[in-house]
Amino acid sequence: MKLQRKNRLRATALGALAVSGALVLSACGSDDNTKESDGGDTTAAASSIKCDDAKGQILAAGSSAQKNAMDLWVKNFQQACAGVEINYQPIGSGGGITKFTQGQVAFAGSDSALKPEEVTASEEVCKGGKGINLPMVGGPVAIGFNVPGVDSLVLDAPTLAQIFDSKIKKWDDKAIADLNPDAKLPSTAIQAFHRSDESGTTQNLNKYLKAAAPADWKYDDSSKSWEAKGGQAASGSSGVASSVKDTEGAIGYFELSYATASNLTTVKVDTGAGAPVEATTENASKAIAAAKVKGTGSDLALELDYATKAEGAYPIILVTYEIACDKGNKAETLPSVKAFLNYTVSEEGQKVLSEAGYAPLPTEITAKVREIVPTLS
């Protein structure tokens, strides 16, 4: 079992590297990082980071699914730009948006785009402007499980919906057994974990289940709060992953890097394609590539196809946004916000994430974000 898990992780890493090369925009010029930057630093990270007038402390909050991305971005940015501190609190997408609309943070992280009422609320702090959605990175929402003796598991949308709605209660239920004829499923009770906080990850799972299993999932797919019956709650993606790891018979959802960090095996999803699809960055990228921009003007909110049946496309996906004012940003934080976001959407900023369980965005989307960030005012 350990060998199989190691092989899966190696395959995932190789797939991430392949898709990174295919999707990351190369319009930034030469890949030669041996040339000195303006500051004379010859390291790869520093060569692509322009600090401009960045200084002081920046407060930000939101999505815990993008915490691991933020950790990498902040580390690299602060190493390159002395005198700048980025303080990101992974309190969940809902909490981050609330802090943003109350003017408590310079930008927020969210796994779902702003709702119309949230855009209206943002106008109070974005003087003369409004909050906009800037897609920054994508990835799969992995379904991790802890069932001793089972190291490979296939589930489809109706079965997942019934599990998370407490309709399927045992691991040897016929619906699960039919999808896994070769597995030795125990009669262990299913312990389904969900987020206790408002979460864009929850919303994206809702959207997938509503789109792919409408007869079995009757809940509001616009809600960031968990509405299904039963189950157990934990705070943040890290809390759900830890609970699944520590609980026999558990299942839960979280961004892929949390599954990797906790050494959890993830569900393969039967989408109706030729073969069940594993949660990898490469497979998530295949689904994200079909995303359409539904926002207008500077807003780049995306529409995702959660019911995809394309071969090799993993359907439970999220795109994580940074939420910022298009106009009316605070003068003291604006230079640092622009410099930081310019780095996160840069070629180097996207590349560092592919090995951390995230999927770089399609080139046409990153190109648009790179055009908008410098216009923030």
Side-chain angles (χ1 to χ4, degrees), residues 320-331:
T320 186
Y321 299 89
E322 308 313 330
I323 309 294
C325 295
D326 58 355
K327 299 177 182 178
N329 289 278
K330 294 180 180 178

Side-chain angles (χ1 to χ4, degrees), residues 136-199:
M136 204 55 67
V137 73
V141 177
I143 308 295
F145 65 96
N146 177 359
V147 183
V150 180
D151 62 356
S152 180
L153 187 69
V154 174
L155 297 174
D156 58 13
T159 306
L160 281 167
Q162 292 176 60
I163 287 173
F164 280 111
D165 200 22
S166 301
K167 300 289 178 59
I168 293 178
K169 300 179 183 296
K170 299 284 187 179
W171 279 109
D172 60 353
D173 187 276
K174 184 178 184 301
I176 301 176
D178 286 348
L179 290 166
N180 299 273
D182 297 326
K184 295 182 180 179
L185 298 167
S187 60
T188 306
I190 294 174
Q191 306 289 336
F193 283 88
H194 58 264
R195 291 280 290 272
S196 61
D197 50 327
E198 286 197 341
S199 162

Side-chain angles (χ1 to χ4, degrees), residues 64-81:
S64 65
Q66 65 171 251
K67 175 187 180 296
N68 294 332
M70 274 292 169
D71 286 347
L72 287 170
W73 283 332
V74 168
K75 177 184 176 181
N76 290 345
F77 188 77
Q78 290 183 169
Q79 284 179 344
C81 302

Side-chain angles (χ1 to χ4, degrees), residues 60-282:
S63 163
S64 65
Q66 65 171 251
K67 175 187 180 296
N68 294 332
M70 274 292 169
D71 286 347
L72 287 170
W73 283 332
V74 168
K75 177 184 176 181
N76 290 345
F77 188 77
Q78 290 183 169
Q79 284 179 344
C81 302
V84 182
E85 180 185 352
I86 309 291
N87 184 347
Y88 182 83
Q89 300 175 337
I91 60 174
S93 298
I97 290 173
T98 296
K99 282 184 174 290
F100 177 74
T101 57
Q102 293 177 348
Q104 298 178 27
V105 294
F107 68 90
S110 178
D111 305 325
S112 58
L114 291 169
K115 297 179 181 179
E117 61 268 26
E118 293 169 338
V119 174
T120 299
S122 73
E123 294 173 355
E124 294 295 318
V125 294
C126 303
K127 301 302 182 183
K130 62 182 180 180
I132 57 173
N133 303 283
L134 299 173
M136 204 55 67
V137 73
V141 177
I143 308 295
F145 65 96
N146 177 359
V147 183
V150 180
D151 62 356
S152 180
L153 187 69
V154 174
L155 297 174
D156 58 13
T159 306
L160 281 167
Q162 292 176 60
I163 287 173
F164 280 111
D165 200 22
S166 301
K167 300 289 178 59
I168 293 178
K169 300 179 183 296
K170 299 284 187 179
W171 279 109
D172 60 353
D173 187 276
K174 184 178 184 301
I176 301 176
D178 286 348
L179 290 166
N180 299 273
D182 297 326
K184 295 182 180 179
L185 298 167
S187 60
T188 306
I190 294 174
Q191 306 289 336
F193 283 88
H194 58 264
R195 291 280 290 272
S196 61
D197 50 327
E198 286 197 341
S199 162
T201 310
T202 293
Q203 186 182 38
N204 281 279
L205 178 63
N206 270 333
K207 287 181 178 294
Y208 161 71
L209 294 174
K210 190 77 168 181
D216 296 287
W217 196 253
K218 303 298 185 180
Y219 303 103
D220 181 5
D221 65 354
S222 69
S223 176
K224 296 184 182 72
S225 299
W226 188 257
E227 297 183 353
K229 310 303 180 185
Q232 301 183 55
S235 179
S237 293
S238 59
V240 175
S242 295
S243 297
V244 172
K245 183 178 179 64
D246 295 339
T247 307
E248 186 172 319
I251 188 170
Y253 59 95
F254 27 76
E255 189 274 328
L256 180 60
S257 64
Y258 290 93
T260 303
S262 297
N263 202 27
L264 287 168
T265 308
T266 60
V267 167
K268 296 182 181 70
V269 178
D270 184 344
T271 64
V277 187
E278 189 173 356
T280 67
T281 56
E282 181 179 15

Side-chain angles (χ1 to χ4, degrees), residues 45-46 48-56 58 70-86 335-344:
S48 65
I49 297 177
K50 295 182 179 180
C51 302
D52 296 326
D53 297 321
K55 60 183 178 180
I58 299 298
M70 274 292 169
D71 286 347
L72 287 170
W73 283 332
V74 168
K75 177 184 176 181
N76 290 345
F77 188 77
Q78 290 183 169
Q79 284 179 344
C81 302
V84 182
E85 180 185 352
I86 309 291
S336 296
V337 169
K338 291 172 69 173
F340 181 65
L341 297 182
N342 273 327
Y343 163 61
T344 62

